[in-house]
Amino acid sequence: MRTYLVTGGAGFIGSNFIHYMFDRYQDAIKIINVDALTYAGNLSNLEAVAGLPNYKFVKADITDRKVIEKLFDKNDVDVVVHFAAESHVDRSIKDPDCFVRTNVLGTTNMLNAAMGAWRLSNGKFIPGKKFLHVSTDEVYGSLPEEGGYFYEDTPYAPHSPYSASKASSDLIVKAYMDTYGFPANITNCSNNYGPYQFPEKLIPLMIHNALEGKPLPVYGDGKNVRDWLYVEDHVSAINHVINEAKLFETYNIGGNNEKQNIEIVRTIIDVLKELLPEADPRRANLSYDLITYVDDRLGHDRRYAIGADKIRKDLGWEPKTKFVDGIRKTIIWYFENQDWMERVTSGMYQAYYEQMYGGKL
Ligand code: NAD
Ligand code: TYD
């Protein structure tokens, strides 16, 4: 039985990964999920697996050296899948410090604990161990509108405190691979969408506001481009990298699916209008008039697009979900899980929303 230590498993991509793995491998794996349960971590994302005997949740901060070392002492961890991070660009602009703490120091702490458990006295590592560091395409900076793609050898040029902290964490992982021969892979993925994403990110925030009849805050001219990937395709790519990638390789993961923000917002309005019954008073309110252009994000990257040729060629991975299907599935999921949305947007979320958008709308 293979033991996975997943960090940040109560967040958006981590919880999708845990569901994906139990759906496929059932009792052939054990998963230990370490999560500090920040505002972005939600145990209700994992209700369906919480009672499994081969699943364990540990509430802990990845910067806590003693607790993380103890986890490695008590468990024979085979694979670390490191998702835990502060992940939202707008928050990083308001409060960069915790991004450096979690993303840089937390990653270093995870690496040190894994080294302690996996490195033999001769300096070699126990065979079969792997640390998968989950990162973002934002480390590469911004592409011109006219074209081009991010490849694995594109120089790092991050702009936001978020992407700079992720770039730093990638470089620390690379340094451990180069210096100690530490058994790791790095993945750099484009924007994900799908179930369980916290409604501070574009797609769930717009769905949430549209259902409440609130303005839809589009930054700048709304023409910034992101390369959207359905989250299940991302976690399947991660699984390929865990099982098939040679150690020390880096893989870019993307949807080959570029969209301007404004197109996404319009699609959300169109699909929700179809879903809401005629008699629902929210339907009458729902129109493109809710779209409200607000001040641009500081340092806003114009365009991201991933060249995913290497993972396709080396590992045979390709995204399975077409955007038209994925976005529909996603909107329907949020529509049918409005109680989840209510739970995660109560309390602190209200204060966050007021701080971020209060002066803009
Ligand atoms: P998320 O914000 O939804 O979840 C992050 C999780 O990490 C939460 O459960 C949170 O409680 C936990 N966490 C935060 N700080 C912690 C700490 N100090 N100790 C322990 N746990 C902590 O993020 P996500 O969107 O699921 O992203 C997961 C990873 O994937 C991140 O590393 C992110 O950089 C990367 N990524 C995200 C995207 C995307 O589109 N969301 C794209 C590419 C890469
Ligand atoms: P986001 O989901 O925060 O992801 P990232 O910044 O990591 O790409 O934002 C996606 C795009 O949507 C980005 O160009 C910023 C834009 N955006 C808005 O226009 N309005 C919003 O309220 C949010 C949250 C994002």
Side-chain angles (χ1 to χ4, degrees), residues 134-169:
V134 180
S135 191
T136 165
D137 61 353
E138 303 191 25
V139 298
Y140 298 119
S142 183
L143 290 163
E145 272 171 2
E146 308 76 58
Y149 294 95
F150 296 136
Y151 291 102
E152 286 78 0
D153 57 0
T154 301
Y156 277 27
H159 296 128
S160 71
Y162 163 64
S163 54
S165 69
K166 289 298 290 188
S168 308
S169 67

Side-chain angles (χ1 to χ4, degrees), residues 25-202:
Y25 303 107
Q26 281 104 30
D27 44 13
I29 58 169
K30 178 176 171 191
I31 295 185
I32 304 162
N33 172 18
V34 186
D35 198 298
L37 298 183
T38 68
Y39 76 92
N42 204 320
L43 284 183
S44 67
N45 300 357
L46 293 161
E47 267 161 18
V49 302
L52 297 178
N54 48 341
Y55 169 77
K56 190 173 167 208
F57 173 69
V58 179
K59 184 174 183 306
D61 194 307
I62 55 162
T63 60
D64 188 331
R65 191 162 63 94
K66 281 207 179 105
V67 173
I68 301 296
E69 276 176 2
K70 205 161 143 197
L71 272 177
F72 278 92
D73 282 349
K74 291 226 157 116
N75 300 280
D76 183 14
V77 174
D78 297 301
V79 182
V80 174
V81 194
H82 179 38
F83 294 101
E86 288 291 338
S87 69
H88 188 39
V89 173
D90 293 326
R91 284 184 192 258
S92 82
I93 294 167
K94 289 250 186 250
D95 178 17
D97 297 24
C98 64
F99 284 73
V100 175
R101 193 180 151 276
T102 289
N103 299 0
V104 186
L105 300 179
T107 299
T108 311
N109 192 44
M110 290 304 303
L111 293 169
N112 288 338
M115 278 254 287
W118 294 347
R119 199 169 187 220
L120 302 166
S121 51
N122 63 4
K124 294 202 170 14
F125 287 83
I126 302 171
K129 306 292 185 188
K130 183 176 275 194
F131 188 106
L132 179 70
H133 178 62
V134 180
S135 191
T136 165
D137 61 353
E138 303 191 25
V139 298
Y140 298 119
S142 183
L143 290 163
E145 272 171 2
E146 308 76 58
Y149 294 95
F150 296 136
Y151 291 102
E152 286 78 0
D153 57 0
T154 301
Y156 277 27
H159 296 128
S160 71
Y162 163 64
S163 54
S165 69
K166 289 298 290 188
S168 308
S169 67
D170 292 11
L171 294 178
I172 292 284
V173 177
K174 282 181 205 276
Y176 275 54
M177 293 195 279
D178 293 348
T179 307
Y180 309 109
F182 181 80
N185 290 116
I186 299 173
T187 55
N188 295 90
C189 188
S190 60
N191 287 62
N192 285 214
Y193 68 101
Y196 303 121
Q197 187 169 32
F198 192 76
E200 62 186 353
K201 306 276 166 62
L202 179 74

Side-chain angles (χ1 to χ4, degrees), residues 239-259:
N239 193 35
H240 273 277
V241 175
I242 292 169
N243 291 322
E244 295 148 39
K246 278 197 251 150
L247 291 176
F248 318 127
E249 294 291 332
T250 287
Y251 285 99
N252 282 1
I253 304 168
N256 196 15
N257 181 45
E258 294 176 45
K259 299 276 175 229

